[in-house]
Amino acid sequence: MLPKLTFVLGGASSGKSAFAENLVMQSGAPRVYIATSQAFDDEMTAKIDAHILARGPDWHTIEAPTDASAALAQVETGQIVLFDCATMWLSNQMLAQADIATETQSLVAALRACKGRVVIVSNEVGMGVVPDNSLARQFRDAQGKLNQHLAGISDLAVFVVAGQPLVLKGTLG
Amino acid sequence: MLPKLTFVLGGASSGKSAFAENLVMQSGAPRVYIATSQAFDDEMTAKIDAHILARGPDWHTIEAPTDASAALAQVETGQIVLFDCATMWLSNQMLAQADIATETQSLVAALRACKGRVVIVSNEVGMGVVPDNSLARQFRDAQGKLNQHLAGISDLAVFVVAGQPLVLKGTLG
Amino acid sequence: MLPKLTFVLGGASSGKSAFAENLVMQSGAPRVYIATSQAFDDEMTAKIDAHILARGPDWHTIEAPTDASAALAQVETGQIVLFDCATMWLSNQMLAQADIATETQSLVAALRACKGRVVIVSNEVGMGVVPDNSLARQFRDAQGKLNQHLAGISDLAVFVVAGQPLVLKGTLG
């Protein structure tokens, strides 16, 4: 039985999304997918298409590249949400030059107010060398803080490494 | 007692190779080293030489920069293999413009068919910011998928951080 | 009760410093902060100032951008030290073109000889793709080896991910 809020963190191609999808599918509840991606180029379009294909038709999808709070407000009691992912959400906020602290507060409030259970996926991006450019450094700092925040409010937090879960907080049932 | 297949993952200079070598040496079985490196420049030659020196003379070494399957087929019952590393293997495949999915299937089949026990080492490369160039992004995606695959077929999977093991799967005896 | 030497490792903005500070504050002992930062630009000055502000006034601070051994020698029995961080220390040594092996030996000896307990913070920087430039590669190799060394001599080693601790060695009380 999944708790109210589950945080799934992992590196690129770590299997974090598949792991999170699996948690949702094992729950047996009606599934909602909150899609955060905006396709700006062919590489991203291909990635999104591959994910949709892998997920299959049994999902109610809400496209929410920027307004995640509105999407979370549409979720009904008993549903379980896969929010994939916080990294894309953050990237979209930064592109829109939004105030990250304000938007994070709004996201956290919406996650707490959501009537269904939520599994939120995010990327670990802070374990390489310091990036050359300032924007990349700003992004990884913002991502690190957001990940701390999301892990902090979660009931269950899992770090996925090579497809395998390391539990950071709570109990993986 | 090591199981049939052990996967040792870690970052750069994390101590993963030393940890894997130690597992092999503690097993007491005759040791085979499958060497995947190709020295293209002085920096790599120096690294390879330092590793050979650190390993010492009690190893039967098979040089296998590209054809790991042939190397694994030479291993005899009772021997224990250190395969170091899957990252170099992948890099060599990508340089040779091989089909990675096909080569991975072939590697997995060879690992399963190997008469000896195998400890295979790999790099975690997906926990930094998104790389600027497309080839680096392709590489980290391929590496992440390969790591998932290898962890998935392993009996024991260990994530080495600062020389210390975090068990991802199975039990570290 | 914290042991003699605690090693706290984490990525950028992982919450490692806050976690380490919390360990020190929970100990109830008189606190010493060994500050390793040198502010070369506004971005770093802002970071340092934010950290000082977050830490508050209840700390005896010793500025030690290069000579950590001298700083550790000033610590008195019963005090507890937050050494933040080994990455900045390493960076300062490399900028000064010091011999890293010699300096590391000296740091390790000073940590062992220190009359108080020490919590030392460091960065994980080896889990991204191979950096383009040679200096960055040298740095991440040196950092990786230093982290192995520090974890090796520590009584307690913790890997902080999204603000949550994964114990690498010893027991988190």
Side-chain angles (χ1 to χ4, degrees):
Chain A
M1 180 76 181
L2 278 178
K4 183 77 178 67
L5 184 61
T6 300
F7 178 58
V8 176
L9 180 70
S13 299
S14 64
K16 60 192 181 302
S17 290
F19 183 85
E21 280 172 36
N22 211 34
L23 285 181
V24 172
M25 283 162 71
Q26 286 175 350
S27 76
R31 304 165 204 160
V32 177
Y33 183 80
I34 295 185
T36 52
S37 291
Q38 287 175 299
F40 295 112
D41 57 34
D42 291 352
E43 195 176 330
M44 278 181 61
T45 305
K47 271 197 146 183
I48 293 171
D49 288 350
H51 276 205
I52 289 171
L53 205 68
R55 212 154 47 231
D58 282 343
W59 292 79
H60 171 60
T61 297
I62 307 174
E63 301 281 347
T66 53
D67 196 353
S69 302
L72 287 163
Q74 293 177 43
V75 175
E76 290 164 27
T77 307
Q79 290 182 326
I80 184 155
V81 177
L82 178 57
F83 186 117
D84 193 356
C85 64
T87 300
M88 194 54 72
W89 174 86
L90 178 64
S91 179
N92 292 341
Q93 299 299 334
M94 288 185 78
L95 278 171
Q97 303 192 287
D99 180 75
I100 302 302
T102 306
E103 294 302 325
T104 299
Q105 278 191 322
S106 160
L107 174 63
V108 165
L111 286 168
R112 287 197 154 131
C114 181
K115 288 180 194 151
R117 285 172 290 162
V118 181
V119 177
I120 185 164
V121 177
S122 191
N123 277 69
E124 174 56 55
V125 302
M127 297 185 185
V129 295
V130 180
D132 286 335
N133 76 80
S134 171
L135 190 63
R137 287 196 299 277
Q138 281 174 47
F139 184 80
R140 77 168 187 163
D141 279 351
Q143 178 70 85
K145 282 173 191 159
L146 179 59
N147 289 343
Q148 286 183 53
H149 212 125
L150 292 173
I153 63 166
S154 292
D155 308 293
L156 170 64
V158 179
F159 184 36
V160 177
V161 178
Q164 309 295 320
L166 285 169
V167 175
L168 295 172
K169 184 183 179 183
T171 309
L172 190 56
Chain B
M1 180 77 180
L2 279 177
K4 184 76 178 69
L5 185 60
T6 301
F7 178 58
V8 176
L9 181 71
S13 299
S14 64
K16 61 190 180 305
S17 290
F19 183 84
E21 281 173 34
N22 212 33
L23 285 182
V24 171
M25 284 162 72
Q26 286 175 349
S27 76
R31 304 164 203 160
V32 176
Y33 183 79
I34 295 184
T36 52
S37 292
Q38 286 175 301
F40 295 112
D41 57 34
D42 292 353
E43 194 175 331
M44 278 181 61
T45 305
K47 271 197 146 183
I48 293 172
D49 289 350
H51 276 204
I52 289 172
L53 205 68
R55 213 155 47 231
D58 282 343
W59 293 79
H60 172 60
T61 297
I62 307 174
E63 302 280 347
T66 52
D67 196 352
S69 302
L72 287 163
Q74 293 178 42
V75 175
E76 292 164 25
T77 308
Q79 290 183 327
I80 184 155
V81 177
L82 178 57
F83 187 118
D84 193 357
C85 66
T87 300
M88 195 54 72
W89 174 87
L90 178 64
S91 178
N92 293 341
Q93 300 299 335
M94 288 185 79
L95 279 171
Q97 303 192 288
D99 180 76
I100 302 302
T102 306
E103 294 301 326
T104 298
Q105 278 190 321
S106 161
L107 175 64
V108 165
L111 287 167
R112 286 194 156 134
C114 181
K115 288 180 193 151
R117 286 173 289 162
V118 182
V119 177
I120 186 164
V121 178
S122 191
N123 277 70
E124 175 56 56
V125 301
M127 297 185 184
V129 295
V130 180
D132 287 333
N133 76 82
S134 171
L135 190 64
R137 288 197 298 277
Q138 281 175 47
F139 184 80
R140 77 168 187 163
D141 279 351
Q143 178 70 85
K145 282 173 192 160
L146 179 60
N147 288 343
Q148 287 183 54
H149 213 125
L150 292 173
I153 63 165
S154 293
D155 308 293
L156 171 63
V158 179
F159 183 38
V160 177
V161 178
Q164 309 294 320
L166 286 170
V167 175
L168 295 172
K169 184 183 178 183
T171 309
L172 189 57
Chain C
M1 178 77 179
L2 278 179
K4 182 77 177 68
L5 184 61
T6 301
F7 178 59
V8 176
L9 181 70
S13 299
S14 63
K16 60 190 181 305
S17 290
F19 183 85
E21 281 172 34
N22 212 34
L23 285 182
V24 171
M25 283 161 72
Q26 285 175 349
S27 75
R31 305 164 203 161
V32 177
Y33 183 80
I34 295 185
T36 52
S37 292
Q38 288 175 299
F40 295 111
D41 58 34
D42 291 353
E43 195 176 330
M44 279 181 59
T45 304
K47 271 197 145 183
I48 293 172
D49 288 350
H51 276 203
I52 289 172
L53 205 68
R55 212 154 47 232
D58 282 341
W59 293 79
H60 171 59
T61 297
I62 308 174
E63 301 280 347
T66 53
D67 197 354
S69 302
L72 287 163
Q74 294 176 44
V75 175
E76 290 163 27
T77 307
Q79 290 183 326
I80 185 155
V81 178
L82 178 57
F83 187 117
D84 194 355
C85 66
T87 300
M88 195 53 75
W89 174 87
L90 178 64
S91 178
N92 292 341
Q93 300 300 334
M94 288 185 78
L95 278 172
Q97 302 192 288
D99 181 76
I100 303 302
T102 306
E103 294 302 326
T104 299
Q105 278 190 322
S106 160
L107 174 62
V108 165
L111 286 167
R112 285 194 156 135
C114 181
K115 288 181 193 150
R117 286 174 288 162
V118 181
V119 177
I120 184 164
V121 178
S122 190
N123 277 69
E124 174 57 56
V125 302
M127 296 184 184
V129 295
V130 180
D132 285 334
N133 76 80
S134 172
L135 191 64
R137 288 196 299 277
Q138 281 175 46
F139 185 79
R140 79 169 185 162
D141 280 352
Q143 178 70 87
K145 282 173 191 159
L146 179 59
N147 289 343
Q148 286 182 54
H149 212 125
L150 293 173
I153 62 166
S154 292
D155 309 293
L156 170 64
V158 179
F159 184 38
V160 177
V161 178
Q164 308 295 319
L166 285 170
V167 175
L168 295 172
K169 184 182 178 184
T171 308
L172 189 56

